[in-house]
Amino acid sequence: MSPVWSVGAGLLLLLLWVRHRGLEAVLVHHRWVFVCLFLLPLSILFDVYYQLRAWAVWRLHSAPRQHAQRVRHIQAQVREWKNEGSKRYMCTGRPGWLTVSLRVGKYKKIHKNIMINLMDVLEVDSERQVVRVEPLVTMGQLTAHLNPMGWTIPVVPELDDLTVGGLIMGTGIESSSHIYGLFQHTCVAYELVLADGSLVRCSPTENSDLFYAVPWSCGTLGFLVAAEIKMIPAKKYVKIHYEPVRGLQKICEKFTEESKKKENSFVEGLVYSLEEAVIMTGVLTDEAEQSKINRIGNYYKPWFFKHVEKYLKADRTGIEYIPSRHYYHRHTRSIFWELQDIIPFGNNPVFRYLFGWMVPPKISLLKLTQGEAIRKLYEQHHVVQDMLVPMKSLEKSIQTFHVDLNVYPLWLCPFILPNNPGMVHPKGDEAELYVDIGAYGEPKRKQFEARASMRQMEKFVRNVHGFQMLYADCYMTREEFWDMFDGSLYHKLREQMNCKDAFPEVYDKICKAARH
């Protein structure tokens, strides 16, 4: 039988099976079929297009020339909104499905959409050690651009498709954050188009109130059009040390101890059960033992969290040298561990060697094609949450996550939180060590109920003076929300800059209780 006939027969059998089971049942219970046949190839085309575009823009040096023109177009749209009578709130015109957040932004259908086509690296200033970028530049795009030039940024949030704008207006974190803080703390300036159509630059010394109020504001103070981010010299490898730890108290003690050591370039923990974890510490280096180099980012390699689990199962420590860019994006191929629920056999060696080069599917395409049935299923039987709590509350926090959710692995990522003005800062006057606890997957807690369980979690986080990342589903009331976050500077600026008629309040934009 010829290849064409074989493919045709296979497609015919697939269509007959889909018809027999029903399209919705296949999409819900066998989603891997649709993902493997359609979304993986489509994701490759998306990546190829954007990579070629970024290369061409940089080679032609067109981004800096076109940036001012694009910003003027944004300003013209805002002024047009004013001339129309400012009847509706404004929001970015980027489709909601293109965002990494699983939340469905229905507000885009009723608000005035301002088109912001800003996705380029504008300038690499080696003398100032600053890179200036547009808000839709992704982490994958930025590291691919900077690393060959010998630079990187201090905090590289994990997933390739995370954008600079999303990480500033929301937040971002990585295993270097115990030294540098959150992504916002590595930024030195922002440029925004305000509600009156004016363009303003802000920094710690220029329009400082606005500079500190922008992070976590979710685009409700103005439209971000550029950001300046610190750079640091890149090195070839991360020398990573894996250490299995058993016993919750020992896990917390070891993780806290390593997080306080500034000589560790990176600190990360993967908690596989209430009593089992692997604590990883890394150091940047240009030298490596050739026999211990692990190019974990290669498509045929095991998913990183599964690779780490081997050290736990073998109950042994280990040292490896991972190429820096592979390390920065080590959880990208498996979308942390979310992909195992979508493609259950995705880590199988046969699948990795034959089709791993197409992984992962774009999160935006997964979101676009999920349908109402899958969305509701995820909402009720799946959690994607990051809670930021003081390091001193780590043990109690893990116990709470276990009781309320029982989702494993848990991701532990430490960060220093400076006492800057804005929505998020420590309770005291000094910088404080915090930890991000990330829970992604299907809760194993019996009788899990999304709203009740998450409200219980949110209450715990408020009580320990922690914070919930705003990309995730939020069930708090308005009063509870502003009890968690400091809104004093934010509300002051919304009043001063006439934002109340131009943009919704951040609570109304992200919280389930307020969304229409």
Side-chain angles (χ1 to χ4, degrees):
M1 184 180 289
S2 71
V4 174
W5 281 104
S6 298
V7 171
L11 288 174
L12 180 61
L13 289 172
L14 175 64
L15 290 172
L16 290 173
W17 178 67
V18 169
R19 183 177 180 183
H20 172 70
R21 293 298 306 270
L23 180 59
E24 184 173 289
V26 170
L27 290 178
V28 172
H29 300 294
H30 304 279
R31 199 179 183 197
W32 62 267
V33 175
F34 181 71
V35 170
C36 291
L37 290 181
F38 299 102
L39 295 194
L40 288 181
L42 194 57
S43 297
I44 290 292
L45 293 177
F46 261 64
D47 281 337
V48 169
Y49 167 75
Y50 282 112
Q51 287 169 9
L52 287 175
R53 184 197 174 280
W55 177 82
V57 166
W58 183 250
R59 294 293 295 179
L60 296 171
H61 302 287
S62 60
R65 295 197 305 270
Q66 294 181 359
H67 176 73
Q69 180 182 340
R70 290 170 179 162
V71 171
R72 285 194 295 271
H73 178 59
I74 294 167
Q75 292 178 283
Q77 292 178 76
V78 173
R79 289 175 183 135
E80 180 186 355
W81 165 81
K82 287 189 69 177
N83 293 336
E84 290 172 350
S86 311
K87 296 177 182 177
R88 295 181 291 164
Y89 288 139
M90 291 184 289
C91 67
T92 61
R94 190 184 188 212
W97 61 270
L98 275 174
T99 63
V100 172
S101 169
L102 296 179
R103 186 170 56 241
V104 178
K106 296 181 180 179
Y107 60 86
K108 288 185 180 285
K109 295 179 180 179
I110 58 174
H111 292 176
K112 170 73 172 179
N113 282 212
I114 305 297
M115 301 310 297
I116 299 179
N117 184 29
L118 300 171
M119 57 181 68
D120 297 314
V121 178
L122 298 173
E123 180 186 6
V124 178
D125 189 335
S126 299
E127 188 174 328
R128 291 177 57 216
Q129 295 195 10
V130 166
V131 57
R132 182 168 174 256
V133 300
E134 293 179 329
L136 295 181
V137 167
T138 66
M139 289 298 100
Q141 177 186 352
L142 190 54
T143 56
H145 188 98
L146 292 179
N147 288 174
M149 302 170 69
W151 295 102
T152 187
I153 55 175
V155 175
V156 184
E158 181 59 49
L159 301 179
D160 277 13
D161 290 341
L162 293 170
T163 65
V164 168
L167 295 167
I168 290 170
M169 291 296 184
T171 194
I173 192 171
E174 200 20 86
S175 52
S176 57
S177 289
H178 66 296
I179 299 173
Y180 298 104
L182 299 171
F183 185 83
Q184 70 204 56
H185 301 126
T186 68
C187 297
V188 297
Y190 310 126
E191 297 169 38
L192 297 100
V193 171
L194 303 182
D196 61 0
S198 62
L199 176 65
V200 64
R201 183 180 187 273
C202 56
S203 71
T205 57
E206 179 183 7
N207 298 308
S208 60
D209 278 357
L210 181 59
F211 176 80
Y212 290 116
V214 162
W216 296 76
S217 66
C218 297
T220 60
L221 293 173
F223 295 110
L224 184 71
V225 295
E228 295 177 25
I229 309 166
K230 295 175 187 174
M231 298 189 306
I232 58 174
K235 293 192 176 181
K236 292 180 181 178
Y237 301 100
V238 175
K239 180 182 179 182
I240 188 168
H241 177 261
Y242 304 90
E243 182 168 350
V245 184
R246 286 180 165 79
L248 180 57
Q249 185 177 351
K250 289 183 178 179
I251 291 169
C252 296
E253 288 174 353
K254 180 64 176 176
F255 186 76
T256 303
E257 176 190 341
E258 297 297 341
S259 300
K260 291 178 178 179
K261 294 179 181 177
K262 301 301 182 186
E263 59 266 32
N264 288 327
S265 304
F266 306 97
V267 179
E268 175 184 25
L270 295 184
V271 182
Y272 291 91
S273 75
L274 185 61
E275 300 291 332
E276 297 177 306
V278 177
I279 308 300
M280 289 161 279
T281 56
V283 178
L284 286 163
T285 178
D286 284 322
E287 305 296 329
E289 298 177 47
Q290 292 300 311
S291 62
K292 293 183 179 180
I293 293 176
N294 182 3
R295 304 184 187 280
I296 194 69
N298 288 348
Y299 71 88
Y300 51 84
K301 288 284 190 173
W303 290 346
F304 184 71
F305 79 98
K306 286 294 187 183
H307 172 67
V308 173
E309 191 176 21
K310 291 178 183 176
Y311 290 94
L312 182 66
K313 290 180 176 179
D315 196 24
R316 64 179 177 87
T317 61
I319 290 177
E320 289 183 329
Y321 295 82
I322 299 178
S324 295
R325 193 160 184 268
H326 289 221
Y327 177 82
Y328 288 137
H329 302 288
R330 64 200 177 281
H331 291 297
T332 294
R333 285 190 301 121
S334 56
I335 317 178
F336 280 88
W337 29 93
E338 289 278 69
L339 197 57
Q340 66 182 350
D341 291 334
I342 299 170
I343 307 178
F345 46 83
N347 194 48
N348 184 284
V350 175
F351 181 86
R352 291 200 313 267
Y353 275 88
L354 292 179
F355 305 108
W357 56 276
M358 292 193 290
V359 169
K362 306 292 280 186
I363 296 175
S364 54
L365 293 179
L366 289 170
K367 187 175 174 181
L368 176 65
T369 59
Q370 67 181 359
E372 190 64 19
I374 295 176
R375 189 189 68 77
K376 288 183 177 178
L377 188 71
Y378 262 64
E379 187 175 289
Q380 293 301 320
H381 303 287
H382 199 91
V383 296
V384 181
Q385 291 282 349
D386 284 85
M387 299 293 189
L388 314 180
V389 298
M391 185 66 79
K392 61 191 177 188
S393 303
L394 177 58
E395 183 173 349
K396 189 176 180 181
S397 298
I398 293 177
Q399 289 171 335
T400 301
F401 269 71
H402 180 78
V403 171
D404 291 344
L405 301 179
N406 195 9
V407 171
Y408 292 100
L410 291 175
W411 188 54
L412 302 184
C413 186
F415 68 100
I416 191 71
L417 184 61
N419 187 31
N420 292 337
M423 286 176 60
V424 171
H425 54 76
K427 191 172 184 179
D429 296 330
E430 302 294 329
E432 186 174 348
L433 191 61
Y434 271 63
V435 56
D436 172 14
I437 305 178
Y440 325 119
E442 183 179 345
K444 299 299 189 291
R445 179 199 174 195
K446 292 182 180 178
Q447 299 176 334
F448 170 80
E449 199 281 312
R451 186 179 185 277
S453 295
M454 287 317 306
R455 280 191 53 75
Q456 199 163 310
M457 287 291 303
E458 290 166 348
K459 181 180 180 181
F460 168 80
V461 172
R462 287 196 306 276
N463 287 342
V464 298
H465 198 73
F467 309 95
Q468 180 181 24
M469 281 199 187
L470 300 184
Y471 78 88
D473 283 333
C474 176
Y475 295 85
M476 290 182 280
T477 65
R478 192 180 304 273
E479 183 180 356
E480 290 166 343
F481 182 85
W482 290 117
D483 181 41
M484 176 179 285
F485 297 98
D486 182 354
S488 54
L489 181 60
Y490 171 79
H491 290 301
K492 170 188 164 185
L493 285 178
R494 275 179 60 84
E495 189 75 41
Q496 287 180 357
M497 300 190 308
N498 299 316
C499 293
K500 290 188 174 182
D501 294 328
F503 307 106
E505 185 184 296
V506 61
Y507 174 82
D508 295 309
K509 198 169 181 179
I510 64 100
C511 283
K512 275 187 168 291
R515 270 185 277 135
H516 301 290

